[in-house]
């Protein structure tokens, strides 16, 4: 293309390029296709491509392509191209989707532009890739792209709800710094499978309306910093299976919804801190099976109706809450009785010295386990629970013993039993006689010397059997306590 073929608008861009000057076509208009673009703001994509490939230069100047507020016609095709010049095409309107597939770029800035889509997969960017405040009418394909700096998607809107491909494709992307996307609005899927981010992923105030039930697919995602999804609204499934987040996964103040299905799947993931606070309960299932979390910041009011926690391991549970507030989390497990979940919660209370809370969790574990037993096991469990609370409430046994001792002493004090061998029996004492019946391992010489008759004999049988039950349950509870220590 020769320079004498250029329109006045294109000639301005051509002359500015060697000196790295910006050409601003804006006159207060919005970069929208209905805004009434004229030839004075129109630049052919072929002109821009020729500039970048020919790279005209002037002595003592640093070339750069800097165009603002232009209407770009045709396809900006830079597939497999290589340029050392920064490219800024901000607040522009692209009539057709630009193609940067496999290109090598110094820096790309499309801030505030309107595009039907973007094909920039497998691109290498030496600096930053800035797509802030853009409006995309189709998918943004960045899969496999390597960005030495940061990726900016602040305030960007992407409308590509079709199920055939993700709206924002960041699968296997490598970002040397962070991914910034506060206020990002996506109608469609975000794909982050296999992506690696050396900094922080910021998606605060994001609005993600997934398609085909998927909102964010981030399986095996690796983030060296934090993942911030605060004050966000997400409709659809968030998948983080096998992800590794060194810092904090913060979902505070966010509304996550996938009714009747899994809303957050973080199974087999490794997370520094998981924050679920100041937000309504998730509308869907929370899957944390086999996840490894250092700090679980979980407010009971944010726990959904169904959780999966088998194999979940966490070193710290905060904020400090009574066990009664924490137990619904493990009792709502969709897999039924999960002993590991109770043990993890018990360990969390023991680490902060709350032995009362730990005992309550263990008591709840025994009661939940009882529901899985056959009828005779459930009956024996009910007896242990009613008498000594499975050994976690030993004072209850003392109360039973004192009550039975009082009953027996009163009955046998009013109607003493007859001696087996008159003249040889010791003086009758109703209190110690009742103790002989109740406590199987202690003998005061009363039980073997006297023989009650009639219903008094049946009362002695009841006292003997009850004493054995209380003694057995106390021993069982003490054994469990010793084994935990």
């Amino acid at each position: 293309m020769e320079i004498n073929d250029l329109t006045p608008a294109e000639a301005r861009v051509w002359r500015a390029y060697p000196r790295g000057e910006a050409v601003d076509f804006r006159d207060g208009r919005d970069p929208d296709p209905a805004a009434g673009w004229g030839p004075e703001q129109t630049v052919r994509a072929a002109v821009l491509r020729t500039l970048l490939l020919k790279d005209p230069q002037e002595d003592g100047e640093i070339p750069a392509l800097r165009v603002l507020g232009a209407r770009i016609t045709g396809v900006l095709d830079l597939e497999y191209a290589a340029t050392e010049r920064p490219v800024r095409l901000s607040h522009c309107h692209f009539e057709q989707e630009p193609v940067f597939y496999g290109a090598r770029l110094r820096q790309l800035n499309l801030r505030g532009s309107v595009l039907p889509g973007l094909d920039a997969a497998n691109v290498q960017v030496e600096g930053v890739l800035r797509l802030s405040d853009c409006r995309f009418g189709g998918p943004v394909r960045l899969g496999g792209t390597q960005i030495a700096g940061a990726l900016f998607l602040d305030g960007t809107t992407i409308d590509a709800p079709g199920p055939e491909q993700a709206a924002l494709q960041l699968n296997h992307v490598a970002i040397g710094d962070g991914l910034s996307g506060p206020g990002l609005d996506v109608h469609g899927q975000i794909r982050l499978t296999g992506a690696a981010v050396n900094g922080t992923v910021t998606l605060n105030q994001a609005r993600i309306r997934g398609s085909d039930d998927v909102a964010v697919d981030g399986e095996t995602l690796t983030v060296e910093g934090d993942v911030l999804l605060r004050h966000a609204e997400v409709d659809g499934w968030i998948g983080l299976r096998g992800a590794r987040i060194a810092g904090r996964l913060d979902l505070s103040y966010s509304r996550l919804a996938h009714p009747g299905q899994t809303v957050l799947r973080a199974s087999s993931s490794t997370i520094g801190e998981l924050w679920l606070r100041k937000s309504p309960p998730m509308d869907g299932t929370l899957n944390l099976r086999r996840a490894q979390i250092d700090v679980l910041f979980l407010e009971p009011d944010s726990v959904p109706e169904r959780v999966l926690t088998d194999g979940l391991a966490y070193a710290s549970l905060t904020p400090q809450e009574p066990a009664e507030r924490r137990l619904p989390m493990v009792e709502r497990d969709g897999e039924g009785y999960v002993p590991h979940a109770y043990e993890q919660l018990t360990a969390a209370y023991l680490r902060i010295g709350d032995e009362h809370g730990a005992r309550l969790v263990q008591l709840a574990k025994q009661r939940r386990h009882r529901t899985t037993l056959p009828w005779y096991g459930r009956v024996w469990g009910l007896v242990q629970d009613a008498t000594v609370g499975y050994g976690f409430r030993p004072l209850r046994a003392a109360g039973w013993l004192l009550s039975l001792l009082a009953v027996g002493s009163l009955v046998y004090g009013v109607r003493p039993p007859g001696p087996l061998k008159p003249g040889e029996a010791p003086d009758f004492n109703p209190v110690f006689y009742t103790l002989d019946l109740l406590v199987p391992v202690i003998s005061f010489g009363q039980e073997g010397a006297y023989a009650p008759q009639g219903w008094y004999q049946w009362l002695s049988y009841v006292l003997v059997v009850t004493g054995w039950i209380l003694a057995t349950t106390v021993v069982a509870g003490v054994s469990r306590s010793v084994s935990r220590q």
Side-chain angles (χ1 to χ4, degrees):
M1 178 178 294
E2 300 297 333
I3 191 168
N4 53 6
D5 295 330
L6 303 178
T7 66
E10 293 168 349
R12 289 180 60 189
V13 176
W14 194 280
R15 289 192 298 268
Y17 176 86
R19 298 188 296 271
E21 296 176 349
V23 180
D24 193 347
F25 294 103
R26 293 176 296 177
D27 54 3
R29 71 176 68 237
D30 182 78
D32 188 270
W37 297 85
E40 66 277 9
Q41 292 95 24
T42 301
V43 178
R44 288 171 290 173
V47 175
L48 303 179
R49 181 178 186 274
T50 301
L51 268 175
L52 291 171
L53 296 182
K54 282 192 172 184
D55 192 26
Q57 302 181 37
E58 291 185 10
D59 292 340
E61 302 292 343
I62 300 176
L65 181 61
R66 295 188 173 96
V67 179
L68 294 83
R71 171 175 173 252
I72 300 175
T73 61
V75 178
L76 180 56
D77 186 357
L78 292 172
E79 184 174 1
Y80 295 112
T83 178
E84 297 180 357
R85 310 306 177 190
V87 177
R88 180 184 180 188
L89 300 171
S90 59
H91 304 284
C92 295
H93 169 66
F94 290 77
E95 286 193 342
Q96 298 187 53
E97 176 182 287
V99 178
F100 295 94
Y101 184 92
R104 293 178 57 192
L105 307 173
R106 182 70 174 272
Q107 182 171 308
L108 179 60
N109 183 351
L110 301 177
R111 183 187 183 106
S113 294
V114 177
L115 308 92
L118 178 64
D119 184 358
N122 296 310
V123 169
Q124 295 184 38
V125 182
E126 296 178 11
V128 302
L129 176 56
R130 192 177 297 276
L131 304 177
S132 304
D133 300 313
C134 288
R135 284 176 281 171
F136 293 96
V140 176
R141 295 181 287 274
L142 296 172
T145 292
Q146 299 181 34
I147 305 171
L151 171 60
F152 292 94
L153 292 164
D154 311 44
T156 296
T157 300
I158 304 174
D159 190 4
E164 60 277 358
Q165 58 181 322
L168 178 57
Q169 300 174 23
L170 294 170
N171 45 299
H172 302 289
V173 69
I175 302 176
D177 196 347
L179 192 166
S180 177
L184 176 66
D185 190 340
V186 178
H187 189 188
Q189 303 177 14
I190 297 178
R191 187 172 299 158
L192 283 162
T193 54
V197 181
N198 285 333
T200 291
V201 176
T202 305
L203 296 173
N204 296 331
Q205 293 89 36
R207 177 74 172 91
I208 305 171
R209 293 154 290 169
S211 63
D212 198 24
D213 291 330
V214 178
V216 180
D217 187 355
E219 294 191 4
T220 67
L221 167 69
T222 300
V223 179
E224 298 300 331
D226 301 330
V227 175
L228 306 178
L229 194 65
R230 299 161 60 94
H231 298 279
E233 294 185 12
V234 181
D235 294 312
W237 171 73
I238 300 176
L240 295 175
R241 183 179 64 84
R244 187 179 69 83
I245 301 172
R248 182 171 81 249
L249 173 58
D250 192 346
L251 304 175
S252 304
Y253 305 95
S254 294
R255 183 190 65 81
L256 310 181
H258 193 203
Q261 302 184 59
T262 299
V263 61
L264 173 60
R265 182 183 182 187
S267 56
S268 302
S269 60
T270 302
I271 303 172
E273 300 181 17
L274 174 58
W275 286 31
L276 289 173
R277 55 187 291 271
K278 305 300 181 184
S279 58
M282 296 179 183
D283 189 358
T285 300
L286 172 61
N287 185 346
L288 296 176
R289 288 185 295 188
R290 300 178 301 281
Q292 303 287 323
I293 302 173
D294 290 337
V295 178
L296 181 57
F297 197 125
L298 179 62
E299 292 183 345
D301 293 337
S302 298
V303 178
E305 288 299 321
R306 190 171 186 266
V307 295
L308 301 174
T309 58
D310 190 17
L312 168 65
Y314 48 88
S316 175
L317 180 62
T318 191
Q320 187 173 347
E321 293 277 356
E324 294 86 353
R325 296 255 297 157
R326 292 292 187 190
L327 281 171
M329 179 179 71
V330 294
E331 292 173 347
R332 295 173 187 171
D333 199 296
E335 296 181 334
Y337 172 58
V338 180
H340 178 81
Y342 289 92
E343 294 301 326
Q344 279 289 298
L345 187 55
T346 299
Y349 280 108
L350 289 177
R351 277 192 291 269
I352 62 175
D354 188 351
E355 296 185 0
H356 174 70
R359 286 194 298 269
L360 288 180
V361 175
Q362 285 294 308
L363 177 58
K365 174 189 174 184
Q366 295 298 328
R367 288 172 173 170
R368 185 69 179 274
H369 175 61
R370 186 174 69 215
T371 63
T372 67
L373 299 176
W375 68 269
Y376 49 85
R378 293 196 297 271
V379 170
W380 177 239
L382 284 170
V383 171
Q384 293 187 81
D385 193 359
T387 53
V388 292
Y390 285 99
F392 297 104
R393 293 177 176 171
L395 290 179
R396 186 179 293 179
W400 281 102
L401 285 172
L402 289 175
S403 299
L404 293 172
L405 178 61
V407 170
S409 300
L410 179 62
V411 170
Y412 291 118
V414 173
R415 182 70 178 272
L420 289 176
K421 297 180 179 180
E424 298 182 10
D427 293 338
F428 180 74
N429 188 307
V431 175
F432 285 97
Y433 179 74
T434 306
L435 277 175
D436 260 353
L437 296 174
L438 285 172
V439 183
V441 295
I442 300 177
S443 176
F444 295 99
Q446 294 282 318
E447 181 184 2
Y450 293 91
Q453 302 294 324
W455 73 271
Y456 297 98
Q457 186 177 24
W458 285 103
L459 175 61
S460 68
Y461 295 157
V462 170
L463 293 174
V464 170
V465 172
T466 305
W468 273 104
I469 291 174
L470 288 172
T472 304
T473 53
V474 168
V475 170
V478 171
S479 300
R480 278 194 295 270
S481 299
V482 171
S483 64
R484 287 196 306 274
Q485 298 299 326

